[in-house]
Amino acid sequence: MRYTASTMKRRSSVRIAAALGAAGAGAVAGYGAWVAAHWLRYGSARAPEPGEGDPLPDRFMPSYDVVERHAVRVDAPDATVLAAACELTWQGPLLTRAIIAARSWFLRAPPDRADLPQAMLPYLTSIGWRVLAEVPGREIVAGAVTQPWRGDVVFPLDGAEFARFAEPAYVKIAWTLRADPIGDARCVFRSETRVGD
């Protein structure tokens, strides 16, 4: 068989499309496995390990159905690390943008406004999350009560009402960014997300 330039180009396009399709299917399968694992653990949130416990978010959400905790050692002062975490651009990673775009498409959500801040903490507070507590340079606890399965998510709650809110058909979400110093220029940066009803 003789290959022409157009045949080669077509085969190359097919290979690229197949590779992109396989990569997309892999990403969807990976995300699906992550969701399934969390669904199976729903209602049996893991207790904190020694050193993980944090009384500040306990004031607002002592019981929860799902929890996700992460920690990493950083060679920088705690205040610097916490400030950098609050200024991260949440839309940076491609996978994050893809998941958000897929959710928006599936739920027919209105598009994000372009004038919203790009840094994580200013963005979240601009759309309705509330800072529940803060230890300057060390920790921030934020929370929201919402219905995340809706396309147009609204946050109807003021931060002061968060702890006592208990209406059905809403989800409470609290997350913490915390930097624990271990010496003059090192810290353990921790994040924790709690979800419950």
Side-chain angles (χ1 to χ4, degrees), residues 45-108:
R46 173 179 70 81
E49 299 287 330
E52 280 185 331
D54 189 353
L56 195 55
D58 287 345
R59 290 181 12 207
F60 303 97
M61 198 169 180
S63 62
Y64 38 89
D65 298 310
V66 178
V67 64
E68 190 75 28
R69 296 182 184 98
H70 301 278
V72 62
R73 288 179 184 255
V74 182
D75 290 329
D78 51 336
T80 302
V81 171
L82 185 63
C86 291
E87 291 299 317
L88 281 174
T89 302
W90 68 274
Q91 295 178 327
L94 178 61
L95 182 59
T96 302
R97 291 195 318 263
I99 290 169
I100 291 168
R103 178 200 177 278
S104 297
W105 176 82
F106 183 74
L107 296 176
R108 294 182 174 86

Side-chain angles (χ1 to χ4, degrees), residues 1-8 11 15:
M1 174 181 243
R2 235 175 131 190
Y3 293 105
T4 63
S6 65
T7 304
M8 300 277 286
R11 286 182 181 232
R15 270 186 253 149

Side-chain angles (χ1 to χ4, degrees), residues 59-61 145 157-167 172:
R59 290 181 12 207
F60 303 97
M61 198 169 180
V145 172
L157 185 67
D158 185 281
E161 304 170 33
F162 184 86
R164 63 181 179 271
F165 188 88
E167 287 187 33
K172 287 172 73 168

